[in-house]
Amino acid sequence: MENLLRMDRMPHIWCPGCGIGLGVTALASALEKAQIDLNNVCIVSGIGCTGRVAGYVKLDSFHTTHGRAIAFATGIKAANPKLKVIVFSGDGDLIAIGGNHFIHAARRNIDMLVVCVNNFIYAMTGGQVAPTTPLAAYATTSPFGCVEPPFNIPYIADSSGAVYVARWTALHVRRLTNSLTEALHKKGFSVVEVISPCAMYYSRINRLGDGLDMMKFYHDNVEIRHGEDTKNLDIGFQTKIICGKFVDKERPSYMERYNQWASEVRGASNES
């Protein structure tokens, strides 16, 4: 695995009990299993705890501005369609300020893999409520409990047009690795959500114990339902979490559609 990490940047900044490192381990294993030429892989991150991934992975990597990782990655893919583009960032970065980019990249079916680590909170900036914070959960900006319904990330991805959607927790490293390997071979907009403990803020504020306690919770409360309707994947506060592969379908990617359209336009122009 060391060949995929910038060891000179170690130790990393993640807190004890955080699950982001397990997500990175799963991605590194998936890249090896997928046998993709690493010279043609680039990774893009935004801002936040997960956004630091781009700095630790020994690939062509880009640590971009807050919420703009998918927009940046779209430009990379359009400029060099041969590249395998991976966006690895957090729920606050991708689904809050970057939410519009997420929806439209799915609608266009941009050929990229998005790995979204969801820890239910803005961790790096002090534990503020996020668009994924479960109802009634505490955050530093919701001292009486969150009153806003959280986003269901797989449902947003599916309803916006993603061709591959899966969810696992940081506990399910083997299954997560297999999903990432499969998604790396998928053409089109693929999304893998990784539910991760945030022991420093989310767990502490809500008195849920440490990272190990959260892993035990995942062990006892995750139900695997491949093919489940994404409408049924809401996550409540300390309720059952449904994981699995939910969407795996085919439709033309943005570049395939664009090239076909351009060819038709040129043909019509030559005939006239």
Side-chain angles (χ1 to χ4, degrees), residues 224-238:
I224 297 173
R225 292 191 208 162
H226 295 300
E228 179 63 56
D229 189 328
T230 54
K231 292 179 182 175
N232 302 327
L233 302 178
D234 287 331
I235 298 177
F237 180 63
Q238 292 300 93

Side-chain angles (χ1 to χ4, degrees), residues 60-83:
D60 286 336
S61 55
F62 302 89
H63 189 190
T64 66
T65 48
H66 198 198
R68 307 298 176 235
I70 289 178
F72 198 94
T74 298
I76 293 173
K77 188 67 183 179
N80 189 348
K82 294 180 182 177
L83 292 177

